[in-house]
């Protein structure tokens, strides 16, 4: 299948990040399932052949999954299960910035999945309150408090979130972001307080709380990442599309850029000994198309009458 150098380099880098030495790679399948497109790559390495299935990228040994149909079906099913797990909706690296807060959020989300009664959903509110208190404790620092202002109490989530928002989204260009963060934290805190004391709380009420606090944590985590990241812009046109010391918009070159050290890659013809001919690892291969034929309504198979005169019809 047609690919570009950027795609190939991404797959190569991903495989090499898993301690594989790539000899050859090519894209053999691309399929959209729901909102996501999944590409399947046949990757030849020094220790064997692998599939890399994208969105998100994951690695599968061809010793375990010999056909494209099987590996893509497994990948889609696996990622669907992962998507519905009660896990933090950010990367693992991002959760490490607020480990206590995200852990408590996961505990609240897990408690919701097992709740049946109003008391269970109130308990979700308690855990979400603890999550927000943990959040301001993990980011808040007395040095953030403007001179002349009193340092808020540790559990004063609204006051601390205001101070944190002023710090993470400082400046006139971030005024809307700053205002949104403050409002988000305040509304989430007030909602979880209400949920904690709502004697008629339902699962939907608790779900609203879990999603509200999740969104608040995501936004503050993103703002924190932005303050820690050095964003490089092109000196000529101001574009953010700079990579490898070169602007992709106007070809500006950053003279101070130092490329990472990397050993030379020598071309190999080893991959030619094992052509990319996907095979099936199951005796009866079921594809989405063939399954659709089997599931058509009112499908009837009729066999010839036997000696007893029975028609042998089966529904």
């Amino acid at each position: 299948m047609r690919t570009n150098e950027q795609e190939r380099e991404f797959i190569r880098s991903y495989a090499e990040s898993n301690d594989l030495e790539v000899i050859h790679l090519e894209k053999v399948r691309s399929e959209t399932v729901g909102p996501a497109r999944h590409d399947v790559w046949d990757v030849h390495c020094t220790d064997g052949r692998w599939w890399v299935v994208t969105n998100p990228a994951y690695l599968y040994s061809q010793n375990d999954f010999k056909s494209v149909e099987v590996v893509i079906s497994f990948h889609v099913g696996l990622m669907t299960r992962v998507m519905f797990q009660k896990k933090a909706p950010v990367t693992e690296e991002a959760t490490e910035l607020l480990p206590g807060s995200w852990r408590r959020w996961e505990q609240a989300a897990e408690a919701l999945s097992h709740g049946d009664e109003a008391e269970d959903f109130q308990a979700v509110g308690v855990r979400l309150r603890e999550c927000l208190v943990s959040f301001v404790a993990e980011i808040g620092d007395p040095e953030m408090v403007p001179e002349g202002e009193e340092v808020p109490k540790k559990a004063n989530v609204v006051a601390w979130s205001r101070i944190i928002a002023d710090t993470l989204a400082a400046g006139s260009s971030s005024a809307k972001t700053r205002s949104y963060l403050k409002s988000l934290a305040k509304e989430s805190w007030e909602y979880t307080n209400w949920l904690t004391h709502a004697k008629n709380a339902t699962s939907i009420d608790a779900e609203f709380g879990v999603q509200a606090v999740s969104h608040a944590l995501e936004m503050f985590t993103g703002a924190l990442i932005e303050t820690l990241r050095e964003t490089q812009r092109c000196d000529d046109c101001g574009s953010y599309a700079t990579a490898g010391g070169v602007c992709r918009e106007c070809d500006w070159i950053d003279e101070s850029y130092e490329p990472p050290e990397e050993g030379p890659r020598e071309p190999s013809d080893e991959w030619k000994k094992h052509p990319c001919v996907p095979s099936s690892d199951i005796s009866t291969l079921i594809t989405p198309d063939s399954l659709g034929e089997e599931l058509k309504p009112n499908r009837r198979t009729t066999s010839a009458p036997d000696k007893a005169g029975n028609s042998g019809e089966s529904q």
Side-chain angles (χ1 to χ4, degrees), residues 118-126 128-129 189-210:
E119 294 81 2
D120 301 326
F121 305 132
Q122 287 180 279
V124 172
V126 173
L128 292 174
R129 277 168 48 92
W189 176 250
E190 291 180 352
Y191 188 91
T192 56
N193 276 318
W194 168 81
L195 180 61
T196 300
H197 299 95
K199 295 182 179 180
N200 295 320
T202 66
S203 61
I204 294 298
D205 296 328
E207 179 69 30
F208 283 174
V210 167

Side-chain angles (χ1 to χ4, degrees), residues 1-19:
M1 297 185 67
R2 183 177 299 175
T3 60
N4 56 50
E5 184 58 34
Q6 187 177 10
E7 285 183 292
R8 291 191 293 273
E9 188 57 34
F10 171 77
I11 298 299
R12 182 185 297 276
S13 298
Y14 176 75
E16 291 178 348
S17 70
N18 286 275
D19 299 323

Side-chain angles (χ1 to χ4, degrees), residues 17-197:
S17 70
N18 286 275
D19 299 323
L20 297 176
E21 185 177 344
V22 178
I23 300 172
H24 169 75
L25 53 84
E26 60 183 87
K27 183 161 66 173
V28 297
R29 181 73 170 271
S30 184
E31 182 172 331
T32 299
V33 182
R37 191 187 77 175
H38 304 281
D39 296 331
V40 183
W41 290 76
D42 186 7
V43 183
H44 299 235
C45 301
T46 54
D47 68 341
R49 288 171 64 174
W50 299 76
W51 302 115
V52 174
V53 188
T54 65
N55 206 9
Y58 206 76
L59 199 66
Y60 303 91
S61 170
Q62 293 193 21
N63 289 331
D64 299 326
F65 300 89
K66 295 182 174 62
S67 73
V68 175
E69 284 291 344
V70 171
V71 75
I72 197 169
S73 295
F74 184 88
H75 180 78
V76 171
L78 177 64
M79 294 307 144
T80 301
R81 295 181 65 187
V82 169
M83 182 174 62
F84 285 99
Q85 283 184 321
K86 300 299 183 181
K87 297 294 183 182
V90 294
T91 64
E92 184 176 348
E93 292 78 7
T95 61
E96 291 174 356
L97 296 174
L98 297 171
S101 305
W102 281 115
R103 185 178 69 253
R104 287 173 174 80
W105 179 85
E106 290 180 349
Q107 291 171 350
E110 183 66 24
L112 169 60
S113 66
H114 298 294
D116 294 310
E117 303 295 341
E119 294 81 2
D120 301 326
F121 305 132
Q122 287 180 279
V124 172
V126 173
R127 291 179 181 273
L128 292 174
R129 277 168 48 92
E130 294 172 352
C131 171
L132 291 173
V133 172
S134 174
F135 149 67
V136 296
E138 287 186 297
I139 298 185
D141 190 311
E143 294 184 0
M144 294 180 175
V145 180
E147 188 175 352
E149 286 191 21
E150 185 178 351
V151 178
K153 295 181 179 180
K154 291 183 178 180
N156 192 338
V157 172
V158 175
W160 270 115
S161 60
R162 174 181 58 80
I163 293 170
I164 292 169
D166 286 338
T167 303
L168 298 183
S172 58
S173 62
S174 300
K176 290 296 183 182
T177 302
R178 187 166 58 249
S179 174
Y180 183 69
L181 290 173
K182 293 177 183 179
S183 175
L184 194 59
K186 181 175 182 293
E187 292 295 333
S188 299
W189 176 250
E190 291 180 352
Y191 188 91
T192 56
N193 276 318
W194 168 81
L195 180 61
T196 300
H197 299 95

Side-chain angles (χ1 to χ4, degrees), residues 300-304 310-315:
R300 181 184 296 272
T301 302
T302 305
S303 61
N310 297 320
S311 65
E313 274 196 352
S314 61
Q315 186 73 32

